Amino acid sequence: MPQARNAPAMHRIVIVGGGAGGLELATRLGDTMGRRGQAHITLIEKNRTHVWKPKLHEIAAGSMDMADHEVGYLAQSHWHHFTYRVGQMTGLDREQRLVKVAPYLDDEGVEVAPARDVPYDTLVIAVGSQSNDFGTPGVREHAMRLESAADALRFHQRMVNACIRAHSQSEPLRPEQLHVAIIGAGATGVELAAELHRTTREVVAYGLDRVDADKDIQLAVVEAAPRVLPALPERLSTATEKLLKNLGVAVHTSGKVAAVSAGAVHLADGRVLPAELIVWAAGVKAPDFLKDIGGLETNRVNQIVVRDTLQSTRDEAIFAIGDCAACEWKDVQEGRGARDHGTGVKIVPPRAQAAHQQAKHLLKQLRRRVKGQPLQPWYYRDFGSLVSLGEFSTVGSMMGGLVSGMKGGSLMVEGYFAKLMYQSLYKMHELALHGWVKVVLDTLARSIVRRTEPHVKLH
């Protein structure tokens, strides 16, 4: 391509990580600077397709067909004037300005792409986050995580297989059979529990009549904090817990997990919760390889510490956005935000809306950087939190800046209005990637298909 031939003469912007922030930034930079030949844009991502992370619980439960929502990085790069390179970042040479990329292997262990170095003039690290098991014994060996679309699909397959196995066996169910324990009652854990309540019943309705959904399928949520959804106002936490209990979900608050074994969750107070499927959804941290990478400043959960310009504190050519960035949240509202481990400084919470805002801000700032102009600071605007409870409800809080007449504070929202707001967050992400025309047409097509296909995907 002409862009590739001219690449050495252009400013090289390399983005590592194709999550919500990274892919939006690569797409927008490609549509502007890449298309006009003002910079060469490269996205490095270890996966081949992108799925919006807040949708993973729907894939895991089987209520969303991933094929309708995933974005192929190679096709996206072709249509939006940036370069996609498959692989995982493993190191950084700041002196030579090189990103170290590991070999990429297929499912059979055959090398597809060799280890290589990717040069940059400006580097944006947007590798997201992963589960933090806090060193709890047995989590890595016996608990599943929802960190990627592959994780979500794997859980869904195991869930369906568990139902088929229980239907086929002649002996009584073991104590842990068809029991699901979800550790962590934040947004992911609560959303997954509500979605699973519906989809597991629809799965057994497809001819698995020897499984009694109400009696045999048991869901449990375990939370170390005194209440579910600790980041939301207490009234919404109480309403959510009541809804979960009405669905038959066992809620164990103030339940610190001491260990996880094959077929059980062991709590610190001595209780043992039998479970065939165990999901760890408690706590997040940036990927381990980021710890002190290239001599950059990182915190105790591996996040790269950045200034208000989103530049790393030790290298102006390196930026970090999204869950892997520790950015101070100035003018923090009481009780909101995360506290940076070890410093006590309030930092921007790991939310999709933060990555979206940072990507939008960097679009303008990287243009200024290429032109040699000073960068402007970024300020986080908190639009609140929303949690989808499937077909049962949606709850959340809108920050005062969104509601006319409110000066600070928050407005608690529930029901249909909250559900529309929750859906609009995903539409904003789709618009950033595809534009209005494609999003409108895809939404209409999904609506038509939804009326004619089963509500639950059986894989």
Side-chain angles (χ1 to χ4, degrees):
M1 293 189 301
Q3 185 186 50
R5 289 197 298 269
N6 297 335
M10 289 189 287
H11 190 95
R12 298 165 298 186
I13 300 175
V14 175
I15 303 166
V16 181
L23 185 56
E24 286 187 20
L25 180 59
T27 299
R28 287 172 161 169
L29 285 173
D31 285 341
T32 53
M33 300 181 73
R35 183 172 59 85
R36 297 166 187 164
Q38 298 171 343
H40 184 263
I41 317 300
T42 299
L43 175 66
I44 301 173
E45 165 58 44
K46 62 182 180 180
N47 295 308
R48 303 281 284 273
T49 59
H50 163 82
V51 175
W52 200 47
K53 199 169 183 178
K55 287 283 187 182
L56 292 183
H57 73 280
E58 296 183 41
I59 299 173
S63 55
M64 188 186 90
D65 192 340
M66 192 178 78
D68 292 339
H69 295 265
E70 63 182 346
V71 178
Y73 288 112
L74 197 59
Q76 185 76 0
S77 68
H78 172 74
W79 291 112
H80 295 277
H81 312 282
F82 66 90
T83 299
Y84 162 63
R85 294 293 178 256
V86 64
Q88 182 171 4
M89 179 181 183
T90 56
L92 177 63
D93 185 337
R94 286 171 51 201
E95 290 187 4
Q96 299 296 320
R97 291 193 173 181
L98 297 173
V99 176
K100 304 288 185 179
V101 181
Y104 176 72
L105 310 179
D106 64 15
D107 294 338
E108 298 177 351
V110 178
E111 184 176 279
V112 177
R116 55 214 182 275
D117 297 337
V118 179
Y120 67 88
D121 297 306
T122 296
L123 174 63
V124 181
I125 300 177
V127 292
S129 61
Q130 63 185 37
S131 299
N132 188 353
D133 61 19
F134 307 103
T136 306
V139 172
R140 293 189 178 184
E141 296 82 3
H142 306 295
M144 302 185 67
R145 311 176 190 223
L146 296 184
E147 297 175 355
S148 66
D151 292 338
L153 286 174
R154 191 178 303 113
F155 174 86
H156 178 63
Q157 291 169 350
R158 291 188 181 181
M159 180 196 74
V160 174
N161 288 343
C163 293
I164 296 174
R165 184 183 304 113
H167 171 78
S168 302
Q169 70 188 49
S170 55
E171 64 272 15
L173 296 179
R174 300 186 305 277
E176 76 278 4
Q177 268 194 280
L178 297 183
H179 288 215
V180 180
I182 303 169
I183 303 171
T188 299
V190 167
E191 289 176 333
L192 179 61
E195 203 73 37
L196 280 175
H197 176 272
R198 178 177 65 87
T199 58
T200 50
R201 280 148 180 78
E202 293 193 24
V203 167
V204 300
Y206 287 96
L208 305 182
D209 48 15
R210 295 182 62 189
V211 176
D212 185 333
D214 293 327
K215 175 184 176 182
D216 298 330
I217 299 177
Q218 300 293 321
L219 302 175
V221 174
V222 182
E223 172 57 49
R227 57 189 177 91
V228 302
L229 299 176
L232 289 184
E234 186 172 355
R235 187 178 78 80
L236 293 178
S237 295
T238 302
T240 300
E241 182 172 341
K242 181 179 179 181
L243 185 147
L244 290 175
K245 289 181 176 179
N246 288 340
L247 295 177
V249 178
V251 179
H252 302 274
T253 52
S254 299
K256 183 178 179 181
V257 176
V260 176
S261 63
V265 176
H266 304 263
L267 302 186
D269 60 10
R271 285 178 293 168
V272 178
L273 308 178
E276 183 174 11
L277 296 174
I278 301 171
V279 180
W280 183 271
V284 296
K285 64 178 180 178
D288 292 333
F289 77 86
L290 285 185
K291 184 63 178 175
D292 300 324
I293 189 170
L296 298 178
E297 181 184 3
T298 57
N299 62 14
R300 292 178 61 184
V301 289
N302 306 328
Q303 292 175 308
I304 297 173
V305 181
V306 298
R307 308 169 187 168
D308 57 7
T309 56
L310 302 179
Q311 293 169 293
S312 64
T313 55
R314 295 176 182 170
D315 195 325
E316 294 184 352
I318 299 177
F319 297 73
I321 64 173
D323 293 2
C324 70
C327 182
E328 183 179 355
W329 186 356
K330 299 181 179 179
D331 299 324
V332 183
Q333 295 177 342
E334 184 65 28
R336 298 189 178 277
R339 192 172 292 279
D340 192 352
H341 296 267
T343 67
V345 175
K346 292 277 188 174
I347 62 172
V348 174
R351 297 177 184 167
Q353 61 171 302
H356 172 77
Q357 292 178 38
Q358 290 170 335
K360 188 175 181 179
H361 178 78
L362 269 194
L363 173 65
K364 299 177 181 178
Q365 300 313 305
L366 293 184
R367 294 176 190 166
R368 297 176 66 90
R369 174 172 166 79
V370 171
K371 295 177 181 178
Q373 299 173 346
L375 303 186
Q376 300 169 328
W378 172 73
Y379 297 98
Y380 177 55
R381 297 182 61 198
D382 183 18
F383 293 117
S385 301
L386 292 168
V387 177
S388 172
L389 302 175
E391 65 176 7
F392 307 106
S393 182
T394 299
V395 300
S397 60
M398 291 169 53
M399 300 315 298
L402 286 178
V403 187
S404 61
M406 290 187 66
K407 297 180 180 180
S410 63
L411 173 68
M412 290 175 282
V413 292
E414 302 175 60
Y416 185 70
F417 179 59
K419 184 175 183 178
L420 289 178
M421 292 184 60
Y422 184 87
Q423 293 173 342
S424 71
L425 295 177
Y426 181 48
K427 292 304 174 186
M428 288 175 60
H429 177 62
E430 287 189 309
L431 286 171
L433 299 183
H434 307 304
W436 282 98
V437 175
K438 187 176 188 303
V439 171
V440 170
L441 293 177
D442 284 350
T443 301
L444 289 174
R446 291 170 190 164
S447 178
I448 294 172
V449 171
R450 195 178 297 119
R451 295 173 183 273
T452 58
E453 287 192 348
H455 296 292
V456 177
K457 305 301 175 183
L458 303 177
H459 301 292

